[in-house]
Structure formats: structure tokens, C-alpha cells
């Protein structure tokens, strides 16, 4: 109660503290645009449908296309690694949505994809938003080939920290092939590997 009037005291209104915003939330509209653009690109050409396969055909009709583990990678990278000092090398990027979003966030990104058709989709997507994301095409370096066969030493040169990202490496790779991949991974400063998919 208020000591002077005897009326019940009303506690001051408190402004609720905002929930911590994950880094990905800032770029989610761009992901939705890329998903929509990719849907149109895939559906417009039989080669697009062929390149998508059942995995992507199940994803492209949603309003977002990234998997939860890819969103977690985006958040981890953008919250912990400075864009101006970090180079991301992503293996098996598919249509490269994660690679494109990381490049849009300011990172230099080398994106390896073995399928020329999927890489064409990546390039189409990157070009579709390039005017609105200054420097995107200079930071994004698509590579058509398998990792580490297509890895050139020049791709890792410079002062940047090299971070290898592997979230969707096919689990059917032979033991010998996995050894080759892991040996090449030793050239990197840091690794982000989804061990459930390796």
C-alpha cells in the first residue's frame, strides 16, 4: 500500500527483456527468397528436376530450405568467427544455400559441389540476389569437383583462418575415401563436421 493515500501500490511496469535473437533470424528473409527462386528454377527445366533428386524435391516447396543443422552452423560461424578474418570451405554444398548466406554475411566462401547441375543452380541463385548483396559474387567461390581432389593450395592462401564445414558428407563413402578427406581436413585451422552424416 501507498503510505500517503493507503491505496494499493501498483508495481512499475517492466519491459520484458527481449529473447536472444539468433544470428540466422537476421537473414531468414533472404533464405526464403532463395528457396522460392530455387523452386522456380528447378520446376522450370527437366534438368533442374533431375539435379534436385528426391532430397531437394522434398525441401523446395517449403518456405525455407535450410536444415536445422545448417542453421546451427550459420549461427555458430557468425557469432564466433569474424567475417573479415575467416574463410569458410564448405564440402558438398548442393545448391549452396548455406554458402550463399555465409557469403552474404560477409565471409569468403569456397563451395565444393560434385554435381555440375547443382552448381549451376547455386550460381543462378547467387546471381539472382547479387545486386542487393554488394560483394557477394566476389566472396563466393563455387568449385565444380569433389573435395579434396579439386582443392588447390591457392584456395587457402592469405591471412584468413580456414574453416572446413562438412554437414552432409555421404555416409556411403569408403573407408579409404574418408581417410583421404580427413587427411585433407588437417590442412585447416578449424573443422565443423556433422559426425552423424560422416
Amino acid at each position: 500500500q501507498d503510505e500517503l493515500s493507503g491505496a494499493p501500490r501498483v508495481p512499475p511496469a517492466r519491459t520484458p527483456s527481449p529473447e536472444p535473437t539468433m544470428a540466422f533470424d537476421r537473414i531468414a528473409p533472404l533464405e526464403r527468397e532463395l528457396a522460392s527462386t530455387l523452386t522456380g528454377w528447378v520446376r522450370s527445366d527437366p534438368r533442374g528436376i533431375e539435379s534436385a533428386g528426391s532430397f531437394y524435391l522434398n525441401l523446395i516447396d517449403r518456405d525455407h530450405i535450410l536444415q536445422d543443422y545448417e542453421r546451427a552452423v550459420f549461427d555458430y560461424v557468425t557469432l564466433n568467427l569474424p567475417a573479415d578474418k575467416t574463410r569458410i570451405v564448405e564440402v558438398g554444398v548442393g545448391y549452396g544455400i548455406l554458402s550463399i548466406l555465409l557469403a552474404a554475411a560477409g565471409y569468403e566462401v569456397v563451395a565444393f559441389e560434385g554435381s555440375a547441375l547443382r552448381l549451376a543452380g547455386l550460381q543462378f541463385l547467387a546471381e539472382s540476389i547479387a545486386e542487393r548483396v554488394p560483394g557477394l559474387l566476389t566472396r563466393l567461390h563455387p568449385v565444380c569437383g569433389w573435395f579434396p581432389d579439386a582443392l588447390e593450395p591457392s584456395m587457402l592462401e592469405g591471412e584468413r583462418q580456414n574453416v572446413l564445414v562438412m554437414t552432409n558428407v555421404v555416409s556411403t563413402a569408403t573407408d579409404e575415401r574418408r581417410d583421404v578427406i580427413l587427411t585433407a581436413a588437417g590442412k585447416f585451422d578449424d573443422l565443423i563436421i556433422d559426425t552423424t552424416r560422416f
Side-chain angles (χ1 to χ4, degrees):
Q1 284 191 333
D2 185 87
E3 292 179 7
L4 297 176
S5 67
R9 180 179 292 178
V10 178
R14 286 185 3 169
T15 304
S17 58
E19 291 293 320
T21 301
M22 297 306 285
F24 185 80
D25 292 345
R26 298 190 313 269
I27 208 162
L30 186 56
E31 184 224 3
R32 287 192 292 274
E33 180 181 345
L34 290 170
S36 174
T37 303
L38 179 60
T39 299
W41 184 83
V42 167
R43 301 276 188 213
S44 69
D45 186 334
R47 293 183 325 131
I49 294 175
E50 177 189 343
S51 74
S54 60
F55 177 76
Y56 278 104
L57 288 176
N58 289 332
L59 294 179
I60 61 174
D61 290 327
R62 306 185 311 173
D63 66 346
H64 63 83
I65 196 166
L66 284 188
Q67 302 293 296
D68 289 344
Y69 57 85
E70 291 173 308
R71 291 172 186 235
V73 169
F74 184 91
D75 279 332
Y76 176 82
V77 168
T78 56
L79 292 172
N80 294 283
L81 303 172
D84 61 339
K85 297 178 181 176
T86 305
R87 177 185 296 113
I88 303 296
V89 177
E90 188 184 3
V91 176
V93 302
Y95 292 118
I97 305 292
L98 176 59
S99 287
I100 292 170
L101 293 176
L102 286 168
Y107 292 86
E108 181 179 338
V109 180
V110 180
F112 283 87
E113 175 52 45
S115 164
L117 286 175
R118 287 188 181 173
L119 201 71
L122 179 158
Q123 291 169 319
F124 178 81
L125 290 175
E127 290 166 6
S128 75
I129 62 167
E131 285 188 12
R132 293 192 311 288
V133 184
L136 174 69
L137 297 181
T138 61
R139 292 189 297 272
L140 181 65
H141 310 284
V143 178
C144 187
W146 303 104
F147 179 87
D149 310 347
L151 178 66
E152 300 288 340
S154 61
M155 295 174 182
L156 306 181
E157 289 178 350
E159 300 300 316
R160 293 177 187 264
Q161 176 183 9
N162 292 302
V163 178
L164 181 63
V165 175
M166 292 190 290
T167 60
N168 202 11
V169 176
V170 179
S171 59
T172 56
T174 64
D175 289 343
E176 181 180 348
R177 185 67 185 163
R178 289 184 198 178
D179 288 344
V180 169
I181 292 170
L182 289 174
T183 298
K187 299 175 183 177
F188 290 79
D189 300 300
D190 283 304
L191 307 175
I192 300 174
I193 300 177
D194 183 346
T195 55
T196 65
R197 294 171 174 267
F198 188 79

